[in-house]
Amino acid sequence: LPTYTERLHHFYTLWTLKESYVKAIGMGLNLPLHTFEFVLNDKEIFVNSQVEQEFSFYTGEVEDYSISICHKEKKQEYTFSWFTEEEIYKYFHDIDLAN
């Protein structure tokens, strides 16, 4: 990639994809990160791995943060929102009061 910013963005996309994948298959870092790779194009994301399960992937951003999701369901579209710590606390506090 031609610019530092593009390379950095691509690095974080790949890193979050790898994290989401090892968590989805339940292996965590017991599966060395160098043993599989991702291929990204404009329409799809593929993983080259020894694991024989099929997964769907999603990547996106919230502000300056890269987000990747790996799941067994068919591809879905996601939207993300940024919440403050206070908003999260209030949400769970309200749920607790409702129960």
Side-chain angles (χ1 to χ4, degrees), residues 8-22 29 33 36 38 66 68:
L8 189 61
H9 173 75
H10 192 69
F11 168 80
Y12 284 121
T13 298
L14 290 173
W15 182 266
T16 58
L17 279 167
K18 285 193 172 214
E19 276 196 24
S20 69
Y21 180 69
V22 297
L29 293 178
L33 298 178
F36 62 98
F38 282 91
S66 294
S68 293

Side-chain angles (χ1 to χ4, degrees), residues 2-99:
T3 69
Y4 173 78
T5 302
E6 289 172 317
R7 289 189 301 272
L8 189 61
H9 173 75
H10 192 69
F11 168 80
Y12 284 121
T13 298
L14 290 173
W15 182 266
T16 58
L17 279 167
K18 285 193 172 214
E19 276 196 24
S20 69
Y21 180 69
V22 297
K23 290 175 182 174
I25 64 174
M27 293 191 67
L29 293 178
N30 289 318
L31 178 65
L33 298 178
H34 71 277
T35 62
F36 62 98
E37 65 184 8
F38 282 91
V39 178
L40 289 74
N41 65 38
D42 292 338
K43 295 182 181 181
E44 295 182 278
I45 301 170
F46 301 96
V47 62
N48 291 329
S49 172
Q50 299 296 324
V51 176
E52 295 191 18
Q53 297 174 329
E54 289 192 31
F55 291 93
S56 294
F57 300 95
Y58 173 85
T59 62
E61 294 181 7
V62 173
E63 294 186 3
D64 290 334
Y65 297 95
S66 294
I67 296 170
S68 293
I69 297 172
C70 172
H71 55 86
K72 293 181 185 178
E73 304 296 323
K74 292 182 180 180
K75 186 171 181 154
Q76 302 174 10
E77 291 297 319
Y78 294 92
T79 57
F80 297 97
S81 301
W82 189 260
F83 293 96
T84 66
E85 182 179 344
E86 292 80 18
E87 290 170 324
I88 294 169
Y89 176 78
K90 181 180 180 332
Y91 174 80
F92 285 105
H93 181 264
D94 292 347
I95 288 175
D96 190 42
L97 290 177
N99 292 325

